[in-house]
Amino acid sequence: MNTANAKPTPPFDCRDDTLWRFASPSTKKIAEHIGREATVALCMAFGGMSFTLPIHENANRHGAEKFKRLVEVIGADAARKLCAVYARCGPVSISNLHAVRRAALAREATLFVGLRVSEGLSQRAATLEAVSKFGLSSRAIEINLGKII
């Protein structure tokens, strides 16, 4: 498990149901137990990893270290709930929320283009500006223009 102490900044508002629909079923299931905010923090810190969870906070030295790191990321109550539900299930795979991040970024780029067009820029010029600002391709931005995410 990663031992960095800095809490990552969530890439989107986890209360946003429109974006949350892009989360994987396993991520939504975890959120049922520990809440969306704690789930997003878990995914930001451990996304893309699979690991076993300790049965409780004092299971053994290694388990205690894992539990301590979970507490740093999601808080003691959420860590206890997560361990109670998933500790005996084998390795837990944590999503990296790529689909949700892409949807949030596409929404932000689309809003940016709309704003720049309303300020008098052509759609093409605004799209090229968004390409530079958001790191998306012009095609990806153009596909999302007209879609409500």
Side-chain angles (χ1 to χ4, degrees):
M1 287 175 41
N2 185 355
T3 58
N5 289 327
K7 287 188 180 184
T9 303
F12 65 97
D13 181 357
C14 62
R15 297 166 296 180
D16 187 335
D17 291 332
T18 311
L19 289 176
W20 190 251
R21 69 187 167 111
F22 291 100
S24 69
S26 62
T27 300
K28 291 176 186 175
K29 190 71 174 168
I30 290 172
E32 289 176 15
H33 299 289
I34 66 172
R36 285 186 186 180
E37 287 185 35
T39 302
V40 171
L42 182 73
C43 292
M44 294 298 297
F46 304 114
M49 297 181 185
S50 290
F51 53 89
T52 57
L53 293 168
I55 295 171
H56 55 79
E57 56 196 280
N58 296 317
N60 57 41
R61 185 184 60 78
H62 187 65
E65 289 172 6
K66 281 184 182 179
F67 188 83
K68 181 181 176 190
R69 179 63 180 130
L70 285 172
V71 169
E72 290 171 358
V73 172
I74 63 175
D77 289 341
R80 284 186 193 100
K81 289 176 186 174
L82 186 69
C83 291
V85 173
Y86 291 100
R88 298 185 194 277
C89 296
V92 174
S93 296
I94 307 300
S95 167
N96 52 22
L97 297 175
H98 279 314
V100 182
R101 291 179 200 204
R102 278 193 307 273
L105 192 60
R107 173 195 276 173
E108 195 174 335
T110 301
L111 293 173
F112 175 82
V113 169
L115 174 68
R116 296 297 286 146
V117 167
S118 72
E119 293 171 348
L121 217 55
S122 71
Q123 182 173 321
R124 184 70 185 144
T127 299
L128 292 175
E129 230 179 80
V131 165
S132 176
K133 181 175 174 115
F134 296 99
L136 297 170
S137 69
S138 59
R139 181 73 180 132
I141 294 170
E142 289 164 354
I143 287 171
N144 285 300
L145 289 173
K147 284 185 181 180
I148 299 175
I149 297 178

